[in-house]
Amino acid sequence: MKIAFITATPQNVKLGSGTFVGTAYLIDYLRSHGHSVDTHTPIRPFGVAGYMANRFAWNLSLNPQDFAAYDVVVGLDMDGYTLAHRIQPPFIAYINGIIADEAQFERGWVRLSLELMAKAERLSVHRASRVITLSTYSCKRLGELYGYSQPILRVPPPFDLQGWDRAIAASPPEDIPDPRPTVLCVGVQYPRKNVATLIRAAAILRHYVPTVEVRIASQGPEWPNLRRLAEQLQLQQTITFLGYLPYAALVREYMNCQVFCLPSLQEGFGLVFTEAMATAKPIVASRSSSTPELIEDGLQGLLAVPLDPEDLASKLATILLSPDRGAAMGRAGRAKVRNFDVSTIAEQFIQVLHSLR
């Protein structure tokens, strides 16, 4: 099958985040199983300042004739909306993150730009032959926010479990005498990721676990605000800001922590949760958006009341002070993450493609 993917998502982990990672896993699998896959993406990456304008301009430049030879065309999120209804091959709107849903949690220029891009994503959804998204929550929000009433297929993002295991095997655990109890947080720091609540929870958590360390990986628009908050709460000895990490270093951070925490308020799926589950780590997260679909409260981790630092601190303390319970949750997470292995999910995606021919 000859497949085109249209995406303006930055083609790297640093800026493309989970959307890039999941799509890269999927495309690699498709190619390795005999499918011809072309990725149509901007020749030069957009700068952060002009991302929205450049994304619209690039979409307007797409030529329907360039896609005539494909069996199916897949547009990620809003991308491809200008030609979805003007090409002969079936067009799939592959919605990883519902832009209108993300916009509700942002502020200022970021919110305005997301609201404008959401209008294009709405067009893409309504012009598509088929719509795919990642979770039951996202299916619901597509109907509520975009007025889409046709059947929506739920296909979670794939995870390269074998590749993750190879990375773990290549990075033996460090021999650290008397290691501190450690909470790891990974996520591009937009307001919707709600890392500020974790920082406030860390100030409370010290009363339960005085030697706790919270390690925060990645960066984002909230980076300076989060650092200021940590300083105001005098958490310099408790919180470590790691910034962006190379893949091997990130894997090691997962290996060395006792619990993973991202109290995000909005997730289409949450690929970082699967990374924690693959490393057999218990998870503490917010009871919001798609998160309860992936993390069952009391089984793979604990879910806290959104925006409640005291409840979040209590849940973290429960796991840190009960290592046997945390280990059991980690094992349950490891068992569940096998359901999202790239071979399983990619085959579901391939079935959707065949249904369109």
Side-chain angles (χ1 to χ4, degrees):
M1 188 178 298
K2 188 172 175 59
I3 309 162
F5 278 77
I6 303 175
T7 176
T9 297
Q11 298 298 289
N12 59 73
V13 177
K14 181 178 178 180
L15 297 177
S17 193
T19 298
F20 164 74
V21 173
T23 307
Y25 289 154
L26 175 60
I27 290 174
D28 287 347
Y29 183 92
L30 292 171
R31 287 173 174 162
S32 68
H33 285 70
H35 299 279
S36 173
V37 182
D38 294 329
T39 302
H40 294 258
T41 192
I43 297 174
R44 280 180 279 184
F46 306 147
V48 174
Y51 181 79
M52 179 198 69
N54 286 324
R55 190 176 190 181
F56 274 109
W58 177 73
N59 269 276
L60 289 168
S61 73
L62 295 172
N63 187 346
Q65 294 180 0
D66 293 338
F67 299 89
Y70 291 101
D71 296 306
V72 64
V73 177
V74 181
L76 266 69
D77 299 327
M78 68 167 272
D79 296 315
Y81 80 97
T82 57
L83 50 74
H85 58 313
R86 297 191 295 141
I87 56 175
Q88 186 64 33
F91 180 88
I92 293 177
Y94 186 23
I95 308 301
N96 279 239
I98 302 174
I99 300 174
D101 200 30
E102 296 171 348
Q104 298 178 90
F105 298 92
E106 304 305 324
R107 302 185 294 268
W109 173 247
V110 172
R111 178 166 185 155
L112 176 60
S113 64
L114 287 173
E115 288 174 344
L116 291 172
M117 288 189 286
K119 295 181 183 297
E121 187 172 65
R122 180 189 179 102
L123 287 174
S124 183
V125 165
H126 282 274
R127 291 170 174 175
S129 304
R130 190 67 53 87
V131 177
I132 298 176
T133 193
L134 308 183
S135 62
T136 300
Y137 167 80
S138 291
C139 291
K140 178 183 176 184
R141 295 300 280 159
L142 280 171
E144 293 172 344
L145 295 171
Y146 294 156
Y148 189 77
S149 58
Q150 301 301 312
I152 301 170
L153 297 175
R154 186 182 69 86
V155 180
F159 180 74
D160 184 7
L161 185 56
Q162 291 184 346
W164 192 261
D165 286 346
R166 287 194 297 270
I168 290 176
S171 182
E174 297 177 358
D175 184 16
I176 303 174
D178 300 320
R180 295 173 66 181
T182 301
V183 178
L184 175 65
C185 175
V186 181
V188 178
Q189 292 146 19
Y190 291 103
R192 64 182 181 271
K193 298 298 181 178
N194 194 30
V195 179
T197 296
L198 173 59
I199 291 175
R200 294 187 177 95
I204 302 168
L205 182 59
R206 288 187 305 182
H207 299 296
Y208 298 102
V209 187
T211 59
V212 68
E213 181 181 14
V214 177
R215 296 172 68 81
I216 301 175
S218 195
Q219 283 186 232
E222 287 295 287
W223 171 265
N225 295 333
L226 296 173
R227 292 181 69 88
R228 278 195 296 270
L229 178 61
E231 291 175 2
Q232 291 168 4
L233 296 175
Q234 299 182 349
L235 293 171
Q236 293 91 333
Q237 303 303 312
T238 300
I239 293 181
T240 302
F241 289 92
L242 301 168
Y244 291 113
L245 295 174
Y247 184 73
L250 181 63
V251 171
R252 185 175 290 278
E253 290 292 335
Y254 277 105
M255 293 171 62
N256 291 337
C257 76
Q258 278 70 57
V259 58
F260 179 84
C261 179
L262 178 64
S264 182
L265 301 173
Q266 191 278 337
E267 292 288 342
F269 181 82
L271 194 64
V272 291
F273 294 136
T274 61
E275 293 174 346
M277 293 161 75
T279 326
K281 299 298 179 177
I283 296 168
V284 173
S286 292
R287 189 182 293 107
S288 60
S289 67
S290 67
T291 302
E293 296 177 48
L294 184 59
I295 304 160
E296 301 159 275
D297 192 24
L299 189 54
Q300 293 90 15
L302 297 176
L303 299 179
V305 176
L307 298 172
D308 186 337
E310 291 190 1
D311 192 43
L312 189 65
S314 175
K315 297 294 194 298
L316 288 166
T318 295
I319 293 180
L320 289 172
L321 297 174
S322 307
D324 290 343
R325 186 179 182 189
M329 290 177 175
R331 290 192 296 271
R334 173 68 192 195
K336 185 171 184 176
V337 81
R338 294 190 181 98
N339 297 329
F340 307 108
D341 185 61
V342 63
S343 60
T344 300
I345 300 302
E347 287 299 328
Q348 293 180 26
F349 195 88
I350 290 170
Q351 289 177 17
V352 175
L353 301 185
H354 283 304
S355 72
L356 293 172
R357 298 185 68 184

